[in-house]
């Protein structure tokens, strides 16, 4: 079984990113891994060690499963480990919106599903590209945050979703900076998200 170390300086928290370090056993090759359905991309981190950036789901609970794909001289296997996760305690916000945004009609529902599929395809394609950013990331604008990441959104009295972005105040037409270096993969006007750019 490989040894997995969670970065002690940050740990893992619901809805956050964190580094894990893996030391494969002698004679074992690490052939990738996965957390919450997302592939892990490992890079060297010292002698016989590798590291990967892990995205922890917003509602992970007290642990998150890590699958590691292992190769030996004449065998392959998957090792599963559970890493501790700290709770986040995200707030809730109550919003009143037009009924069509809470219970869309069939045409709007089909459009929403199509747009979700497009965004997932962008995410999947990005996994096979060379990483362009080097970090740290920068804020897209230096204004106040109007809706923080992870907030449970209650639309017209019903909990509908969690906000998986961060909203910043700004006037229409003001610039929004890219958080880091990347490629524009999709530009669209989405039913729920409005004007959207995926990097």
């Amino acid at each position: 079984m490989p040894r997995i170390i969670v970065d002690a300086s940050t740990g893992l928290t619901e809805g956050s990113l964190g580094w894990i370090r893996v030391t494969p056993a002698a004679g074992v090759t690490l052939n990738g891994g996965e957390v919450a359905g997302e592939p892990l991309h490992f890079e060297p981190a010292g002698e016989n060690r590798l590291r990967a950036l892990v995205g922890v789901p917003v509602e992970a609970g007290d642990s998150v499963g890590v699958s590691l794909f292992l190769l030996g001289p004449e065998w392959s296997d998957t090792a599963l480990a559970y890493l501790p996760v700290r709770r986040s305690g995200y707030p809730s916000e109550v919003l009143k919106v037009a009924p069509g945004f809470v219970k869309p009609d069939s045409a709007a529902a089909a459009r929403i599903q199509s747009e979700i599929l497009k965004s997932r395809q962008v995410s999947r394609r990005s996994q096979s590209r060379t990483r362009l950013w080097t970090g740290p990331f920068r804020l897209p604008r230096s204004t106040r945050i109007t809706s923080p990441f992870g907030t449970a959104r209650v639309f017209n009295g019903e909990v509908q979703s969690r906000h998986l972005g961060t909203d910043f105040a700004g006037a229409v037409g003001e610039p929004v900076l890219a958080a880091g270096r990347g490629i524009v993969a999709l530009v669209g006007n989405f039913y729920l998200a409005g004007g959207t750019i995926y990097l």
Side-chain angles (χ1 to χ4, degrees):
M1 174 72 179
R3 184 169 177 232
I4 304 176
I5 299 174
V6 177
D7 192 324
S9 64
T10 58
L12 295 177
T13 304
E14 287 181 315
S16 71
L17 295 173
W19 290 101
I20 62 169
R21 288 173 171 77
V22 177
T23 305
V28 175
T29 299
L30 183 60
N31 192 36
E34 189 175 272
V35 170
E38 294 293 333
L40 295 175
H41 301 281
F42 288 96
E43 59 186 39
E47 188 175 354
N48 300 325
R49 297 176 79 190
L50 301 164
R51 73 174 188 168
L53 196 58
V54 173
V56 183
V58 172
E59 296 174 330
D62 59 4
S63 66
V64 65
V66 179
S67 297
L68 299 176
F69 310 135
L70 312 176
L71 292 176
E74 297 180 2
W75 55 268
S76 62
D77 200 1
T78 299
L80 180 61
Y82 288 90
L83 303 179
V85 172
R86 291 191 303 265
R87 294 289 182 129
S88 296
Y90 290 111
S92 296
E93 65 180 344
V94 177
L95 302 171
K96 186 164 181 60
V97 297
F101 287 100
V102 179
K103 295 180 180 176
D105 60 27
S106 59
R111 176 181 170 187
I112 291 167
Q113 289 306 309
S114 171
E115 291 167 354
I116 289 171
L117 179 60
K118 286 179 184 177
S119 66
R120 285 183 179 157
Q121 288 171 341
V122 168
S123 176
R124 290 297 179 194
R125 285 195 305 269
S126 72
Q127 301 289 351
S128 62
R129 292 196 177 112
T130 302
R131 187 175 79 188
L132 297 178
W133 56 268
T134 55
F137 293 113
R138 65 182 176 191
L139 294 176
R141 54 176 43 170
S142 58
T143 56
R144 67 184 176 86
I145 292 174
T146 57
S147 183
F149 175 87
T151 303
R153 287 186 156 175
V154 180
F155 292 106
N156 301 353
E158 297 181 33
V159 176
Q160 294 290 326
S161 64
R162 285 201 176 272
H163 185 217
L164 299 181
T166 301
D167 295 346
F168 294 85
V172 174
E174 287 185 340
V176 178
L177 303 176
R181 189 165 174 249
I183 296 170
V184 175
L186 175 65
V187 177
N189 183 16
F190 283 13
Y191 184 87
L192 294 175
T196 304
I197 299 174
Y198 282 86
L199 294 179

